[in-house]
Amino acid sequence: MTDVRSTLVGQEQLMALLDNTSAVIYMRDTEGRYMVVNREYERLFGVQRENIVGLTDHDLFPKDVADAFRANDLMAISLGSPVRMEEIAPGDDGVRTYITVKFPLMDANGHPYAIAGISTEITERKRAEEEVRRLNEELELRVKQRTAELEASTKELDAFAYSVSHDLRAPLRSLAGFSEVLQEDYADKLDATGLRYLERIEANATRMAQMIDDLLNLSRATRVELRREHVDISATAREVLADLADAHPDRTVDAVVDDGLTTTGDPDLIRLVFLNLLGNAWKFTAKRSDARIRVGNVAHEDGPVLAVSDNGAGFDMRYAAKLFDPFQRLHAATDFEGTGIGLAIVNRIVQRHGGVVWAASEPGDGATFYLRFEDLGEK
Amino acid sequence: MNGGPILLVEDNPDDVLFTVRAFEKNKMQNEVVVAGDGEEALSYLLPPGGEPGLVPSLVLLDVKLPKIDGLEVLRRIRSDPRTAALPVVVLTTSSEERDIVESYRLGANSFVRKPVVFNEFLDATNVLGVYWLLVNEPAPSWRGGEAQA
């Protein structure tokens, strides 16, 4: 048999329990006079429990702090149930913050005769929270600034591109136009070499016009607002290939596009990607009678990626890093024409879709361009 | 056939020369009236209080013009009943999307980008001339060459 009394806990034991916690514990009567405090309270406020009995917070703390404590005590008393709140009290190194639970003690008639409080210090957490809040505010401000800067520079780029498209082409039209006029109206006054030079002027003016157009496409790929739509890559690639076949009826190219290639992104920009990649594949296979182009998913270490491959001229892998820079050309203009901007456009668009593009090749053995859009394969 | 003049609104003298040359090469008989900026074009088409000139059969309008730009000229042409139904082809250097969109929104009949190569320009003006001066049937009260009421 167990003695019932042995399960009861004496006052000394209870006090020991209160004294060995890191929380601040205290009891005051309904007038606010201290009845008991624990050791943590003594330590924290530098008082002895026997000296504090009968005093109120107004004897111990500055008025505003004491007023706040008292108001919280009265609230718990009037509610008649435990209340949880945040309180602040002066400490050695500045203001400290506590999470406090206050609850009234009732007599046999249900009348409150005292109020007990348990306060846990949360100053560190509070400071950390404050720091996070401050950092967030700072970050938000910085994001706002950067966005404004970015908007300003996009606007500037926009104005620049607009001016380029209007003003830079006009003198080229004059160059090409007057070369033509000279060839037509003054042909009898020029010898064959002179006429050939005029043709060269016209050809170069045309080429520069093409470069301006390509640059504008690159800037447009950067500037336009990105749409997020379902894109049928298989259909897009087939349309582009059909256009290429129409434009070059003399070529026979064995082109195969796998079914079911899709992604999420901007349909116009993704079309521009395939216009450039397939245009390149088409161009660089021109010297082969058995030209072959393939578009499909292939296995890669991080899962499937989209591959556009051909069996054309290829390129030297030593220059692969330069491939996606504007105006970088790895072939002589006499072998394959081009302005060297197409892959820069591809790169820009794929980047804007959160994706990556890279290439692999052997000279004379074709090239393969690998694409991974952020959402590639998702429906 | 619409025998009225072609109003060419163009500030670049080289482009004026090429356009006139292209019309000659294409054996177009219509007189070409040149307005060097938007203000001139408007004072020809819509003279404030004065007598308007011969109603053109076709207006070729550049976008980037001194004083009043081409799109504003287009807007005023469309908002005045005397010229609202005039065939206006925007013939310009740019192929900026906003120019194309804005031109059509303001009621351009067509938008043509001037090709750099003269022979292509020649083809383009030929097609334009054939279509707008021969094939197209204009609104009766704006038949080119007739005086305005």
Side-chain angles (χ1 to χ4, degrees), chain A residues 102-289:
Chain A
K102 289 188 176 175
F103 52 94
L105 300 175
M106 309 294 190
D107 62 19
N109 299 322
H111 294 300
Y113 67 90
I115 176 97
I118 305 170
S119 300
T120 311
E121 191 182 347
I122 55 158
T123 309
E124 280 310 308
R125 199 175 89 199
K126 206 64 192 165
R127 280 184 191 150
E129 276 173 15
E130 183 59 28
E131 182 68 5
V132 166
R133 199 189 53 77
R134 197 184 58 76
L135 286 173
N136 270 335
E137 254 174 28
E138 213 176 277
L139 194 67
E140 232 165 76
L141 189 72
R142 216 180 300 167
V143 167
K144 260 185 206 154
Q145 281 171 345
R146 286 283 157 82
T147 309
E149 277 169 25
L150 208 62
E151 271 168 7
S153 74
T154 307
K155 222 170 160 185
E156 225 165 69
L157 186 67
D158 207 44
F160 175 73
Y162 187 75
S163 163
V164 164
S165 76
H166 274 278
D167 299 341
L168 244 52
R169 275 173 61 92
L172 293 174
R173 224 172 27 250
S174 292
L175 279 179
F178 283 116
S179 304
E180 183 66 31
V181 172
L182 284 172
Q183 288 173 65
E184 282 181 12
D185 294 4
Y186 298 88
D188 53 337
K189 296 191 172 63
L190 284 165
D191 63 8
T193 311
L195 288 172
R196 235 185 9 255
Y197 288 167
L198 286 175
E199 276 171 28
R200 298 262 285 268
I201 292 176
E202 201 178 333
N204 278 287
T206 310
R207 184 171 146 69
M208 182 159 171
Q210 187 57 52
M211 289 166 85
I212 291 173
D213 283 354
D214 287 350
L215 266 182
L216 286 173
N217 273 332
L218 176 62
S219 109
R220 204 168 293 164
T222 310
R223 288 179 290 144
V224 294
E225 206 170 306
L226 210 63
R227 287 187 289 156
R228 288 267 170 198
E229 291 171 17
H230 176 79
V231 182
D232 184 341
I233 289 178
S234 301
T236 305
R238 285 183 185 129
E239 282 161 24
V240 170
L241 285 165
D243 288 346
L244 285 165
D246 281 348
H248 304 92
D250 51 313
R251 294 275 313 273
T252 310
V253 176
D254 164 29
V256 178
V257 178
D258 287 354
D259 289 324
L261 306 172
T262 62
T263 190
T264 308
D266 190 298
D268 292 339
L269 291 181
I270 287 175
R271 165 175 291 271
L272 204 52
V273 166
F274 287 94
L275 213 59
N276 280 296
L277 288 181
L278 293 170
N280 278 350
W282 194 273
K283 180 167 71 183
F284 290 114
T285 51
K287 292 177 182 173
R288 294 192 71 123
S289 54

Side-chain angles (χ1 to χ4, degrees), chain B residues 17 27 31 45 47 53 61 64 66 73 80 83 96 101 105 110 119 121 132 135-136 138 145:
Chain B
L17 187 147
K27 310 245 180 296
E31 183 200 348
L45 289 169
L61 184 62
K64 224 181 171 193
V73 171
D80 193 300
T83 51
E96 272 290 298
V101 170
R105 198 184 67 78
S110 187
N119 282 331
F121 187 59
W132 288 106
V135 178
N136 184 56

Side-chain angles (χ1 to χ4, degrees), chain A residues 12-55:
Chain A
E12 260 175 52
Q13 290 164 299
L14 280 176
M15 207 57 222
L17 204 59
L18 297 184
D19 280 343
N20 286 287
T21 170
S22 61
V24 184
I25 300 174
Y26 43 88
M27 193 186 294
R28 296 188 274 259
D29 68 18
T30 49
E31 299 303 312
R33 287 182 297 256
Y34 275 94
M35 296 161 71
V36 66
V37 298
N38 72 341
R39 197 178 293 155
E40 181 61 13
Y41 189 107
E42 292 180 303
R43 191 190 66 76
L44 205 63
F45 298 115
V47 291
Q48 298 291 318
R49 59 183 67 158
E50 48 273 22
N51 298 338
I52 203 177
V53 174
L55 297 180

